[in-house]
Amino acid sequence: AKSIADLSKAKSSLYMNEDEIVLKNIAENNYFIDEAFEWKRESARMIVVEDVTGSMSGAPALLAASTITAMLLEEAAGRLEVIDVILMGEKVTPLRLEGNKVKDYFTKRNRDYNGGSENQRAVAKAIDVAEADGNCEVVILTDGAYRISDEMRNRLEKSTVKVNVLVVNAHRP
């Protein structure tokens, strides 16, 4: 294995690939930083739509709740912001979490998985809130057991809101 210094002496830049050129420049101290800088990362902002339909009972519900809990803990650590959690089941239920959001999530979360799905309305609600906010994404947690309508697909394609779907499914590979 050649050292960085050996690389810088061995080849002229004309015959080097990009990685070798970078290593050569590092070895020869050709990179200068004029100013000190601090890495700044904007925390992600999101609205979470949780599928609480009948197909989500059992293990998928636990996976979804665990994922949302992890998101809320990341928010407490300042790494992201959960604007709201919207339950998508037989009705659309925005939880409007406050204070200790993890505790509030488990206090307000629907534990009855009665089937039925208002998924079109829940996703539309999340997109409406995200568009009004102007600076957040939508995350949908589902087992994937529903289909979106053509109307909703068209709306998603026209929207500037980034929509992420996380499939939590313990039943299928």
Side-chain angles (χ1 to χ4, degrees):
K2 294 182 177 180
S3 71
I4 293 174
D6 291 339
L7 264 178
S8 70
K9 294 174 190 168
K11 294 183 174 179
S12 75
S13 299
L14 189 61
Y15 300 103
M16 293 180 154
N17 67 37
E18 290 178 26
D19 292 336
E20 291 173 328
I21 292 170
V22 169
L23 291 173
K24 179 180 187 288
N25 286 330
I26 291 170
E28 295 173 355
N29 286 323
N30 290 333
Y31 291 121
F32 298 99
I33 298 174
D34 294 331
E35 299 176 23
F37 67 93
E38 184 178 320
W39 179 262
K40 292 183 181 176
R41 179 177 75 78
E42 270 191 51
S43 63
R45 302 180 74 238
M46 60 189 68
I47 299 163
V48 180
V49 178
E50 181 184 6
D51 184 346
V52 293
T53 59
S55 64
M56 286 291 290
S57 62
L62 292 174
L63 291 169
S66 298
T67 301
I68 292 171
T69 301
M71 290 174 169
L72 294 172
L73 291 171
E74 286 294 301
E75 177 180 37
R79 290 187 280 269
L80 62 86
E81 181 181 357
V82 177
I83 295 168
D84 199 3
V85 175
I86 299 173
L87 301 180
M88 173 177 68
E90 60 186 354
K91 59 185 177 180
V92 176
T93 311
L95 297 183
R96 295 180 177 88
L97 303 176
E98 300 174 335
N100 179 340
K101 287 188 174 183
V102 174
K103 181 180 178 182
D104 202 26
Y105 167 69
F106 283 104
T107 302
K108 292 179 177 178
R109 187 171 178 265
N110 180 6
R111 286 168 177 62
D112 298 321
Y113 301 96
N114 298 323
S117 180
E118 286 289 336
N119 58 44
Q120 311 301 314
R121 284 191 15 195
V123 173
K125 173 73 172 165
I127 291 171
D128 289 344
V129 173
E131 286 176 342
D133 180 275
N135 188 28
C136 68
E137 301 176 8
V138 173
V139 176
I140 303 170
L141 289 167
T142 181
D143 63 349
Y146 74 89
R147 301 279 185 253
I148 62 170
S149 67
D150 289 339
E151 181 182 330
M152 178 56 67
R153 185 180 325 273
N154 291 336
R155 177 154 186 217
L156 290 170
E157 288 173 357
K158 291 176 185 172
S159 177
T160 58
V161 174
K162 183 176 180 182
V163 178
N164 308 282
V165 179
L166 300 177
V167 178
V168 290
N169 190 335
H171 300 301
R172 296 179 217 138

